[in-house]
Amino acid sequence: QVQLVTSGGGSVQAGDSLRLACQSAGRTFSRMSTAWFRQVPGKEREFVAGITWLGGGTTGYRDSVKGRFTISRDNATSTVYLHMNNLKPEDTALYYCAAALGATTAQSMRVIRLYTYWGQGTQVTVSS
């Protein structure tokens, strides 16, 4: 069984940075693809960034965060990170980490139904 524990959210000003962390308890990330999604009230959960476990870790991002967010993972500690720089008010959301058994591609990592395991969510609030 996989349990994902998320941490690192908070309230910041526009232009600030935050780092989210998601650690797996019970199973390593070594053969799992991981991603971050976010959701605001009244809207669907959307893909933010993903990283596969094959090929050295292919990454993918939604267009609005490219160049500002970086996803990384530490397989030794089964932790995936989302480094968020130059935060904007539109980044305000509840952020979730997710894990999928097996490999994803740069395209498929965006498909929410592929992910079996979810963290509890951490709130990120960015003020202008």
PDB file of all heavy atoms in Angstrom, residues 17-49:
ATOM      1  N   SER A  17       8.755  32.269  -3.277  1.00  0.00           N
ATOM      2  CA  SER A  17       8.971  30.866  -3.641  1.00  0.00           C
ATOM      3  C   SER A  17       8.482  29.945  -2.521  1.00  0.00           C
ATOM      4  O   SER A  17       8.448  30.338  -1.347  1.00  0.00           O
ATOM      5  CB  SER A  17      10.454  30.601  -3.883  1.00  0.00           C
ATOM      6  OG  SER A  17      10.954  31.383  -4.942  1.00  0.00           O
ATOM      7  N   LEU A  18       8.103  28.747  -2.915  1.00  0.00           N
ATOM      8  CA  LEU A  18       7.748  27.695  -1.975  1.00  0.00           C
ATOM      9  C   LEU A  18       8.255  26.373  -2.522  1.00  0.00           C
ATOM     10  O   LEU A  18       8.414  26.220  -3.744  1.00  0.00           O
ATOM     11  CB  LEU A  18       6.225  27.592  -1.799  1.00  0.00           C
ATOM     12  CG  LEU A  18       5.511  28.553  -0.867  1.00  0.00           C
ATOM     13  CD1 LEU A  18       4.003  28.344  -0.958  1.00  0.00           C
ATOM     14  CD2 LEU A  18       5.986  28.390   0.568  1.00  0.00           C
ATOM     15  N   ARG A  19       8.473  25.420  -1.622  1.00  0.00           N
ATOM     16  CA  ARG A  19       8.803  24.069  -2.036  1.00  0.00           C
ATOM     17  C   ARG A  19       7.827  23.112  -1.382  1.00  0.00           C
ATOM     18  O   ARG A  19       7.721  23.057  -0.162  1.00  0.00           O
ATOM     19  CB  ARG A  19      10.238  23.683  -1.661  1.00  0.00           C
ATOM     20  CG  ARG A  19      10.650  22.336  -2.247  1.00  0.00           C
ATOM     21  CD  ARG A  19      12.005  21.894  -1.765  1.00  0.00           C
ATOM     22  NE  ARG A  19      11.972  21.429  -0.382  1.00  0.00           N
ATOM     23  CZ  ARG A  19      12.960  20.767   0.208  1.00  0.00           C
ATOM     24  NH1 ARG A  19      14.065  20.501  -0.470  1.00  0.00           N
ATOM     25  NH2 ARG A  19      12.858  20.377   1.464  1.00  0.00           N
ATOM     26  N   LEU A  20       7.135  22.353  -2.207  1.00  0.00           N
ATOM     27  CA  LEU A  20       6.241  21.311  -1.713  1.00  0.00           C
ATOM     28  C   LEU A  20       6.988  19.983  -1.721  1.00  0.00           C
ATOM     29  O   LEU A  20       7.833  19.738  -2.589  1.00  0.00           O
ATOM     30  CB  LEU A  20       4.993  21.203  -2.590  1.00  0.00           C
ATOM     31  CG  LEU A  20       4.190  22.483  -2.814  1.00  0.00           C
ATOM     32  CD1 LEU A  20       2.943  22.173  -3.639  1.00  0.00           C
ATOM     33  CD2 LEU A  20       3.827  23.133  -1.504  1.00  0.00           C
ATOM     34  N   ALA A  21       6.667  19.138  -0.761  1.00  0.00           N
ATOM     35  CA  ALA A  21       7.280  17.819  -0.686  1.00  0.00           C
ATOM     36  C   ALA A  21       6.191  16.762  -0.517  1.00  0.00           C
ATOM     37  O   ALA A  21       5.154  17.018   0.104  1.00  0.00           O
ATOM     38  CB  ALA A  21       8.263  17.742   0.487  1.00  0.00           C
ATOM     39  N   CYS A  22       6.446  15.609  -1.067  1.00  0.00           N
ATOM     40  CA  CYS A  22       5.505  14.501  -0.969  1.00  0.00           C
ATOM     41  C   CYS A  22       6.327  13.235  -0.765  1.00  0.00           C
ATOM     42  O   CYS A  22       7.112  12.860  -1.633  1.00  0.00           O
ATOM     43  CB  CYS A  22       4.680  14.403  -2.238  1.00  0.00           C
ATOM     44  SG  CYS A  22       3.602  12.964  -2.329  1.00  0.00           S
ATOM     45  N   GLN A  23       6.138  12.621   0.372  1.00  0.00           N
ATOM     46  CA  GLN A  23       6.912  11.426   0.685  1.00  0.00           C
ATOM     47  C   GLN A  23       5.999  10.209   0.748  1.00  0.00           C
ATOM     48  O   GLN A  23       4.903  10.271   1.300  1.00  0.00           O
ATOM     49  CB  GLN A  23       7.659  11.591   2.008  1.00  0.00           C
ATOM     50  CG  GLN A  23       8.611  10.444   2.314  1.00  0.00           C
ATOM     51  CD  GLN A  23       9.534  10.742   3.471  1.00  0.00           C
ATOM     52  OE1 GLN A  23       9.153  11.431   4.418  1.00  0.00           O
ATOM     53  NE2 GLN A  23      10.751  10.240   3.420  1.00  0.00           N
ATOM     54  N   SER A  24       6.493   9.134   0.183  1.00  0.00           N
ATOM     55  CA  SER A  24       5.742   7.891   0.174  1.00  0.00           C
ATOM     56  C   SER A  24       6.071   7.054   1.405  1.00  0.00           C
ATOM     57  O   SER A  24       7.241   6.859   1.739  1.00  0.00           O
ATOM     58  CB  SER A  24       6.075   7.086  -1.077  1.00  0.00           C
ATOM     59  OG  SER A  24       5.499   5.788  -1.004  1.00  0.00           O
ATOM     60  N   ALA A  25       5.041   6.584   2.047  1.00  0.00           N
ATOM     61  CA  ALA A  25       5.222   5.662   3.165  1.00  0.00           C
ATOM     62  C   ALA A  25       4.682   4.307   2.739  1.00  0.00           C
ATOM     63  O   ALA A  25       3.575   4.205   2.235  1.00  0.00           O
ATOM     64  CB  ALA A  25       4.468   6.165   4.387  1.00  0.00           C
ATOM     65  N   GLY A  26       5.504   3.276   2.903  1.00  0.00           N
ATOM     66  CA  GLY A  26       5.016   1.943   2.611  1.00  0.00           C
ATOM     67  C   GLY A  26       5.536   1.355   1.315  1.00  0.00           C
ATOM     68  O   GLY A  26       5.588   0.154   1.162  1.00  0.00           O
ATOM     69  N   ARG A  27       5.898   2.194   0.372  1.00  0.00           N
ATOM     70  CA  ARG A  27       6.425   1.690  -0.900  1.00  0.00           C
ATOM     71  C   ARG A  27       7.299   2.775  -1.501  1.00  0.00           C
ATOM     72  O   ARG A  27       6.943   3.945  -1.457  1.00  0.00           O
ATOM     73  CB  ARG A  27       5.298   1.338  -1.862  1.00  0.00           C
ATOM     74  CG  ARG A  27       5.799   0.848  -3.209  1.00  0.00           C
ATOM     75  CD  ARG A  27       4.685   0.383  -4.100  1.00  0.00           C
ATOM     76  NE  ARG A  27       5.187   0.010  -5.417  1.00  0.00           N
ATOM     77  CZ  ARG A  27       4.648  -0.915  -6.193  1.00  0.00           C
ATOM     78  NH1 ARG A  27       3.589  -1.566  -5.797  1.00  0.00           N
ATOM     79  NH2 ARG A  27       5.166  -1.184  -7.367  1.00  0.00           N
ATOM     80  N   THR A  28       8.394   2.370  -2.116  1.00  0.00           N
ATOM     81  CA  THR A  28       9.289   3.365  -2.715  1.00  0.00           C
ATOM     82  C   THR A  28       8.731   3.846  -4.042  1.00  0.00           C
ATOM     83  O   THR A  28       7.867   3.218  -4.655  1.00  0.00           O
ATOM     84  CB  THR A  28      10.688   2.779  -2.952  1.00  0.00           C
ATOM     85  OG1 THR A  28      10.591   1.771  -3.966  1.00  0.00           O
ATOM     86  CG2 THR A  28      11.242   2.170  -1.681  1.00  0.00           C
ATOM     87  N   PHE A  29       9.264   4.970  -4.498  1.00  0.00           N
ATOM     88  CA  PHE A  29       8.874   5.552  -5.775  1.00  0.00           C
ATOM     89  C   PHE A  29       9.656   4.949  -6.940  1.00  0.00           C
ATOM     90  O   PHE A  29       9.489   5.401  -8.066  1.00  0.00           O
ATOM     91  CB  PHE A  29       9.153   7.055  -5.762  1.00  0.00           C
ATOM     92  CG  PHE A  29       8.082   7.878  -5.095  1.00  0.00           C
ATOM     93  CD1 PHE A  29       8.398   9.114  -4.552  1.00  0.00           C
ATOM     94  CD2 PHE A  29       6.777   7.449  -5.019  1.00  0.00           C
ATOM     95  CE1 PHE A  29       7.433   9.885  -3.941  1.00  0.00           C
ATOM     96  CE2 PHE A  29       5.805   8.210  -4.401  1.00  0.00           C
ATOM     97  CZ  PHE A  29       6.136   9.442  -3.862  1.00  0.00           C
ATOM     98  N   SER A  30      10.481   3.938  -6.672  1.00  0.00           N
ATOM     99  CA  SER A  30      11.438   3.520  -7.684  1.00  0.00           C
ATOM    100  C   SER A  30      10.801   3.088  -8.994  1.00  0.00           C
ATOM    101  O   SER A  30      11.408   3.238 -10.046  1.00  0.00           O
ATOM    102  CB  SER A  30      12.307   2.390  -7.139  1.00  0.00           C
ATOM    103  OG  SER A  30      11.499   1.268  -6.811  1.00  0.00           O
ATOM    104  N   ARG A  31       9.619   2.544  -8.973  1.00  0.00           N
ATOM    105  CA  ARG A  31       8.947   2.156 -10.216  1.00  0.00           C
ATOM    106  C   ARG A  31       7.578   2.797 -10.324  1.00  0.00           C
ATOM    107  O   ARG A  31       6.624   2.190 -10.808  1.00  0.00           O
ATOM    108  CB  ARG A  31       8.861   0.638 -10.319  1.00  0.00           C
ATOM    109  CG  ARG A  31      10.200  -0.012 -10.575  1.00  0.00           C
ATOM    110  CD  ARG A  31      10.091  -1.513 -10.708  1.00  0.00           C
ATOM    111  NE  ARG A  31      11.376  -2.116 -11.022  1.00  0.00           N
ATOM    112  CZ  ARG A  31      11.815  -2.329 -12.249  1.00  0.00           C
ATOM    113  NH1 ARG A  31      11.062  -1.996 -13.272  1.00  0.00           N
ATOM    114  NH2 ARG A  31      12.989  -2.869 -12.453  1.00  0.00           N
ATOM    115  N   MET A  32       7.506   4.019  -9.888  1.00  0.00           N
ATOM    116  CA  MET A  32       6.246   4.743  -9.944  1.00  0.00           C
ATOM    117  C   MET A  32       6.474   6.109 -10.584  1.00  0.00           C
ATOM    118  O   MET A  32       7.513   6.733 -10.381  1.00  0.00           O
ATOM    119  CB  MET A  32       5.654   4.919  -8.547  1.00  0.00           C
ATOM    120  CG  MET A  32       5.411   3.617  -7.807  1.00  0.00           C
ATOM    121  SD  MET A  32       4.700   3.863  -6.181  1.00  0.00           S
ATOM    122  CE  MET A  32       3.025   4.298  -6.621  1.00  0.00           C
ATOM    123  N   SER A  33       5.527   6.532 -11.352  1.00  0.00           N
ATOM    124  CA  SER A  33       5.553   7.876 -11.900  1.00  0.00           C
ATOM    125  C   SER A  33       4.779   8.793 -10.954  1.00  0.00           C
ATOM    126  O   SER A  33       3.767   8.388 -10.385  1.00  0.00           O
ATOM    127  CB  SER A  33       4.920   7.897 -13.290  1.00  0.00           C
ATOM    128  OG  SER A  33       5.672   7.095 -14.171  1.00  0.00           O
ATOM    129  N   THR A  34       5.265   9.990 -10.787  1.00  0.00           N
ATOM    130  CA  THR A  34       4.652  10.898  -9.823  1.00  0.00           C
ATOM    131  C   THR A  34       4.336  12.238 -10.475  1.00  0.00           C
ATOM    132  O   THR A  34       4.945  12.610 -11.489  1.00  0.00           O
ATOM    133  CB  THR A  34       5.586  11.119  -8.627  1.00  0.00           C
ATOM    134  OG1 THR A  34       6.884  11.491  -9.093  1.00  0.00           O
ATOM    135  CG2 THR A  34       5.716   9.862  -7.788  1.00  0.00           C
ATOM    136  N   ALA A  35       3.418  12.946  -9.873  1.00  0.00           N
ATOM    137  CA  ALA A  35       2.989  14.220 -10.441  1.00  0.00           C
ATOM    138  C   ALA A  35       2.371  15.093  -9.356  1.00  0.00           C
ATOM    139  O   ALA A  35       2.042  14.627  -8.269  1.00  0.00           O
ATOM    140  CB  ALA A  35       1.968  13.987 -11.563  1.00  0.00           C
ATOM    141  N   TRP A  36       2.234  16.359  -9.699  1.00  0.00           N
ATOM    142  CA  TRP A  36       1.510  17.311  -8.878  1.00  0.00           C
ATOM    143  C   TRP A  36       0.317  17.828  -9.672  1.00  0.00           C
ATOM    144  O   TRP A  36       0.446  18.163 -10.850  1.00  0.00           O
ATOM    145  CB  TRP A  36       2.406  18.482  -8.479  1.00  0.00           C
ATOM    146  CG  TRP A  36       3.465  18.112  -7.503  1.00  0.00           C
ATOM    147  CD1 TRP A  36       4.738  17.719  -7.782  1.00  0.00           C
ATOM    148  CD2 TRP A  36       3.353  18.106  -6.077  1.00  0.00           C
ATOM    149  NE1 TRP A  36       5.419  17.456  -6.625  1.00  0.00           N
ATOM    150  CE2 TRP A  36       4.600  17.701  -5.559  1.00  0.00           C
ATOM    151  CE3 TRP A  36       2.334  18.426  -5.180  1.00  0.00           C
ATOM    152  CZ2 TRP A  36       4.842  17.577  -4.191  1.00  0.00           C
ATOM    153  CZ3 TRP A  36       2.582  18.312  -3.815  1.00  0.00           C
ATOM    154  CH2 TRP A  36       3.822  17.893  -3.336  1.00  0.00           C
ATOM    155  N   PHE A  37      -0.812  17.886  -8.987  1.00  0.00           N
ATOM    156  CA  PHE A  37      -2.023  18.477  -9.529  1.00  0.00           C
ATOM    157  C   PHE A  37      -2.471  19.579  -8.574  1.00  0.00           C
ATOM    158  O   PHE A  37      -2.020  19.644  -7.434  1.00  0.00           O
ATOM    159  CB  PHE A  37      -3.130  17.419  -9.652  1.00  0.00           C
ATOM    160  CG  PHE A  37      -2.905  16.417 -10.746  1.00  0.00           C
ATOM    161  CD1 PHE A  37      -1.997  15.376 -10.593  1.00  0.00           C
ATOM    162  CD2 PHE A  37      -3.604  16.506 -11.941  1.00  0.00           C
ATOM    163  CE1 PHE A  37      -1.785  14.448 -11.605  1.00  0.00           C
ATOM    164  CE2 PHE A  37      -3.416  15.583 -12.961  1.00  0.00           C
ATOM    165  CZ  PHE A  37      -2.505  14.546 -12.784  1.00  0.00           C
ATOM    166  N   ARG A  38      -3.368  20.419  -9.038  1.00  0.00           N
ATOM    167  CA  ARG A  38      -3.921  21.440  -8.156  1.00  0.00           C
ATOM    168  C   ARG A  38      -5.385  21.662  -8.466  1.00  0.00           C
ATOM    169  O   ARG A  38      -5.856  21.353  -9.569  1.00  0.00           O
ATOM    170  CB  ARG A  38      -3.147  22.752  -8.274  1.00  0.00           C
ATOM    171  CG  ARG A  38      -3.258  23.441  -9.626  1.00  0.00           C
ATOM    172  CD  ARG A  38      -2.307  24.637  -9.689  1.00  0.00           C
ATOM    173  NE  ARG A  38      -2.420  25.355 -10.957  1.00  0.00           N
ATOM    174  CZ  ARG A  38      -1.606  26.330 -11.316  1.00  0.00           C
ATOM    175  NH1 ARG A  38      -0.588  26.717 -10.517  1.00  0.00           N
ATOM    176  NH2 ARG A  38      -1.784  26.945 -12.470  1.00  0.00           N
ATOM    177  N   GLN A  39      -6.071  22.198  -7.484  1.00  0.00           N
ATOM    178  CA  GLN A  39      -7.507  22.397  -7.649  1.00  0.00           C
ATOM    179  C   GLN A  39      -7.954  23.617  -6.859  1.00  0.00           C
ATOM    180  O   GLN A  39      -7.512  23.836  -5.730  1.00  0.00           O
ATOM    181  CB  GLN A  39      -8.269  21.160  -7.158  1.00  0.00           C
ATOM    182  CG  GLN A  39      -9.738  21.163  -7.467  1.00  0.00           C
ATOM    183  CD  GLN A  39     -10.387  19.824  -7.164  1.00  0.00           C
ATOM    184  OE1 GLN A  39      -9.882  19.033  -6.347  1.00  0.00           O
ATOM    185  NE2 GLN A  39     -11.500  19.541  -7.817  1.00  0.00           N
ATOM    186  N   VAL A  40      -8.827  24.399  -7.478  1.00  0.00           N
ATOM    187  CA  VAL A  40      -9.474  25.511  -6.792  1.00  0.00           C
ATOM    188  C   VAL A  40     -10.957  25.190  -6.698  1.00  0.00           C
ATOM    189  O   VAL A  40     -11.487  24.427  -7.515  1.00  0.00           O
ATOM    190  CB  VAL A  40      -9.252  26.849  -7.535  1.00  0.00           C
ATOM    191  CG1 VAL A  40      -7.766  27.188  -7.544  1.00  0.00           C
ATOM    192  CG2 VAL A  40      -9.796  26.799  -8.944  1.00  0.00           C
ATOM    193  N   PRO A  41     -11.635  25.749  -5.729  1.00  0.00           N
ATOM    194  CA  PRO A  41     -13.057  25.432  -5.556  1.00  0.00           C
ATOM    195  C   PRO A  41     -13.868  25.709  -6.814  1.00  0.00           C
ATOM    196  O   PRO A  41     -13.712  26.758  -7.453  1.00  0.00           O
ATOM    197  CB  PRO A  41     -13.475  26.352  -4.403  1.00  0.00           C
ATOM    198  CG  PRO A  41     -12.231  26.568  -3.627  1.00  0.00           C
ATOM    199  CD  PRO A  41     -11.137  26.617  -4.647  1.00  0.00           C
ATOM    200  N   GLY A  42     -14.699  24.761  -7.196  1.00  0.00           N
ATOM    201  CA  GLY A  42     -15.564  24.924  -8.349  1.00  0.00           C
ATOM    202  C   GLY A  42     -14.939  24.560  -9.673  1.00  0.00           C
ATOM    203  O   GLY A  42     -15.606  24.647 -10.716  1.00  0.00           O
ATOM    204  N   LYS A  43     -13.673  24.168  -9.651  1.00  0.00           N
ATOM    205  CA  LYS A  43     -12.993  23.787 -10.890  1.00  0.00           C
ATOM    206  C   LYS A  43     -12.434  22.379 -10.778  1.00  0.00           C
ATOM    207  O   LYS A  43     -12.235  21.847  -9.688  1.00  0.00           O
ATOM    208  CB  LYS A  43     -11.873  24.781 -11.211  1.00  0.00           C
ATOM    209  CG  LYS A  43     -12.360  26.168 -11.568  1.00  0.00           C
ATOM    210  CD  LYS A  43     -11.228  27.020 -12.116  1.00  0.00           C
ATOM    211  CE  LYS A  43     -11.736  28.370 -12.575  1.00  0.00           C
ATOM    212  NZ  LYS A  43     -10.645  29.212 -13.152  1.00  0.00           N
ATOM    213  N   GLU A  44     -12.148  21.804 -11.933  1.00  0.00           N
ATOM    214  CA  GLU A  44     -11.583  20.470 -11.952  1.00  0.00           C
ATOM    215  C   GLU A  44     -10.113  20.498 -11.531  1.00  0.00           C
ATOM    216  O   GLU A  44      -9.428  21.514 -11.702  1.00  0.00           O
ATOM    217  CB  GLU A  44     -11.700  19.871 -13.361  1.00  0.00           C
ATOM    218  CG  GLU A  44     -13.137  19.571 -13.782  1.00  0.00           C
ATOM    219  CD  GLU A  44     -13.209  18.850 -15.122  1.00  0.00           C
ATOM    220  OE1 GLU A  44     -12.164  18.718 -15.773  1.00  0.00           O
ATOM    221  OE2 GLU A  44     -14.311  18.421 -15.493  1.00  0.00           O
ATOM    222  N   ARG A  45      -9.677  19.390 -11.020  1.00  0.00           N
ATOM    223  CA  ARG A  45      -8.268  19.253 -10.666  1.00  0.00           C
ATOM    224  C   ARG A  45      -7.448  19.262 -11.949  1.00  0.00           C
ATOM    225  O   ARG A  45      -7.802  18.594 -12.925  1.00  0.00           O
ATOM    226  CB  ARG A  45      -8.063  17.945  -9.901  1.00  0.00           C
ATOM    227  CG  ARG A  45      -6.755  17.839  -9.169  1.00  0.00           C
ATOM    228  CD  ARG A  45      -6.756  16.641  -8.232  1.00  0.00           C
ATOM    229  NE  ARG A  45      -7.764  16.765  -7.175  1.00  0.00           N
ATOM    230  CZ  ARG A  45      -7.885  15.899  -6.168  1.00  0.00           C
ATOM    231  NH1 ARG A  45      -7.059  14.858  -6.081  1.00  0.00           N
ATOM    232  NH2 ARG A  45      -8.826  16.076  -5.269  1.00  0.00           N
ATOM    233  N   GLU A  46      -6.349  20.017 -11.943  1.00  0.00           N
ATOM    234  CA  GLU A  46      -5.552  20.144 -13.157  1.00  0.00           C
ATOM    235  C   GLU A  46      -4.106  19.738 -12.927  1.00  0.00           C
ATOM    236  O   GLU A  46      -3.556  19.907 -11.834  1.00  0.00           O
ATOM    237  CB  GLU A  46      -5.591  21.588 -13.685  1.00  0.00           C
ATOM    238  CG  GLU A  46      -4.992  22.625 -12.765  1.00  0.00           C
ATOM    239  CD  GLU A  46      -5.110  24.044 -13.305  1.00  0.00           C
ATOM    240  OE1 GLU A  46      -5.969  24.299 -14.165  1.00  0.00           O
ATOM    241  OE2 GLU A  46      -4.316  24.896 -12.850  1.00  0.00           O
ATOM    242  N   PHE A  47      -3.519  19.228 -13.984  1.00  0.00           N
ATOM    243  CA  PHE A  47      -2.126  18.810 -13.979  1.00  0.00           C
ATOM    244  C   PHE A  47      -1.223  20.019 -13.836  1.00  0.00           C
ATOM    245  O   PHE A  47      -1.442  21.047 -14.483  1.00  0.00           O
ATOM    246  CB  PHE A  47      -1.819  18.058 -15.276  1.00  0.00           C
ATOM    247  CG  PHE A  47      -0.376  17.739 -15.482  1.00  0.00           C
ATOM    248  CD1 PHE A  47       0.207  16.645 -14.881  1.00  0.00           C
ATOM    249  CD2 PHE A  47       0.407  18.536 -16.307  1.00  0.00           C
ATOM    250  CE1 PHE A  47       1.541  16.339 -15.083  1.00  0.00           C
ATOM    251  CE2 PHE A  47       1.734  18.250 -16.521  1.00  0.00           C
ATOM    252  CZ  PHE A  47       2.305  17.146 -15.903  1.00  0.00           C
ATOM    253  N   VAL A  48      -0.193  19.896 -13.006  1.00  0.00           N
ATOM    254  CA  VAL A  48       0.800  20.958 -12.854  1.00  0.00           C
ATOM    255  C   VAL A  48       2.159  20.516 -13.384  1.00  0.00           C
ATOM    256  O   VAL A  48       2.762  21.187 -14.218  1.00  0.00           O
ATOM    257  CB  VAL A  48       0.937  21.379 -11.378  1.00  0.00           C
ATOM    258  CG1 VAL A  48       2.023  22.445 -11.220  1.00  0.00           C
ATOM    259  CG2 VAL A  48      -0.394  21.894 -10.842  1.00  0.00           C
ATOM    260  N   ALA A  49       2.641  19.372 -12.897  1.00  0.00           N
ATOM    261  CA  ALA A  49       3.953  18.881 -13.295  1.00  0.00           C
ATOM    262  C   ALA A  49       4.034  17.391 -13.012  1.00  0.00           C
ATOM    263  O   ALA A  49       3.379  16.896 -12.093  1.00  0.00           O
ATOM    264  CB  ALA A  49       5.059  19.610 -12.541  1.00  0.00           C
TER     265      ALA A  49
END
